[in-house]
Amino acid sequence: MRKIVPIAIMVLVIGGAAFGWWFLQNQSASAPKDKVTHPIGKSEEKANPKEHNYTDVDFAQKMIVHNQQGIQIADVAKKNATSEEVRQLAASVSEGLSNNTKQYIGWLSEWNEKYFNLSDFPQMDGHDMYPTHPGMASLGELEKLKKATGNAVDEQFLSLMIKHHEGANEMANSIAFERMQFGQMVDLKTKTLKRQAEEIQTMKQLEAKGE
């Protein structure tokens, strides 16, 4: 009986993490109650920028997790990078991603929609439940960055964050999110992609300089 209880607890914990991973990786966001089904043969109803749809919800849910990893990466460089220029850039990246994440969480809360945080996806007993959205670093890469010292921090941060920003751009411009309609979210996405494109250019210049 004593052996059964720990095993049952382990099964429940791993099952919960697996469900969270499955939800974000494979499950579409719940559609709003007022979702309209269009008759066959008729043109689709024009998007209403004042209303959200299931695509807006799905995008926000995925970007929360994506952004939270970006914040982790940037915060390491903000603290440990040797170059003042890299530290300042990392601080700016962290602030931008943090503000975006708070906004996405705010919208989902207003819409009574659920979401998961990156911390809900730990690696347990060799079963990697970690999200793998485009551009996201592996757990191994994150550990390597955290243990890095000297110029290696700068180099690894720049490499990981360039890939991370490029992955965010890939996600945002994918077919999966073509039907986004909530105007404020679309505007935020557009402004964010513009800012991150500029940050990518800066990071590539710093890489070339050997920062």
Side-chain angles (χ1 to χ4, degrees):
M1 180 64 179
R2 292 179 179 176
K3 293 183 178 180
I4 295 176
V5 173
I7 293 174
I9 292 175
M10 183 180 295
V11 170
L12 288 174
V13 171
I14 295 176
F19 172 75
W21 175 86
W22 172 81
F23 181 89
L24 273 182
Q25 300 289 79
N26 303 308
Q27 185 75 356
S28 297
S30 58
K33 295 179 181 179
D34 58 351
K35 181 183 176 183
V36 178
T37 302
H38 302 293
I40 298 176
K42 292 186 177 181
S43 60
E44 294 188 356
E45 184 177 302
K46 185 177 181 180
N48 182 355
K50 294 183 179 181
E51 299 290 339
H52 70 281
N53 60 22
Y54 70 95
T55 308
D56 298 308
V57 173
D58 191 34
F59 181 76
Q61 289 172 333
K62 287 183 170 61
M63 290 310 301
I64 286 171
V65 172
H66 199 276
N67 286 351
Q68 285 175 339
Q69 191 198 66
I71 294 168
Q72 287 184 355
I73 294 171
D75 284 351
V76 173
K78 182 172 66 174
K79 179 181 179 181
N80 299 332
T82 59
S83 166
E84 176 63 24
E85 203 168 358
V86 171
R87 289 199 300 272
Q88 290 181 359
L89 175 62
S92 178
V93 169
S94 179
E95 181 180 10
L97 293 176
S98 295
N99 290 337
N100 282 14
T101 301
K102 291 176 183 176
Q103 182 62 80
Y104 288 129
I105 290 174
W107 281 324
L108 290 175
S109 298
E110 289 177 14
W111 302 335
N112 294 315
E113 293 286 352
K114 297 179 180 180
Y115 63 91
F116 287 91
N117 291 298
L118 185 63
S119 59
D120 295 322
F121 301 91
Q123 186 178 41
M124 301 174 58
D125 298 327
H127 297 284
D128 191 355
M129 304 296 181
Y130 205 70
T132 55
H133 300 314
M136 290 187 71
S138 67
L139 286 169
E141 289 173 323
L142 289 177
E143 285 302 310
K144 184 178 179 181
L145 173 64
K146 292 174 183 177
K147 294 178 181 178
T149 58
N151 292 333
V153 178
D154 307 55
E155 294 169 0
Q156 290 177 37
F157 161 72
L158 293 172
S159 176
L160 291 176
M161 191 53 66
I162 289 172
K163 184 174 73 171
H164 198 270
H165 273 4
E166 290 176 341
N169 180 77
E170 178 184 340
M171 283 180 62
N173 289 312
S174 67
I175 295 177
F177 299 118
E178 284 184 346
R179 294 182 182 276
M180 286 177 64
Q181 71 172 17
F182 186 58
Q184 293 180 53
M185 187 177 292
V186 173
D187 289 343
L188 178 62
K189 183 184 79 168
T190 300
K191 292 176 181 177
T192 298
L193 292 180
K194 182 177 184 297
R195 183 186 75 241
Q196 292 184 349
E198 294 170 352
E199 290 173 345
I200 288 173
Q201 288 302 112
T202 299
M203 288 188 282
K204 287 183 176 180
Q205 291 170 2
L206 291 173
E207 271 193 324
K209 288 169 55 178
E211 294 289 354

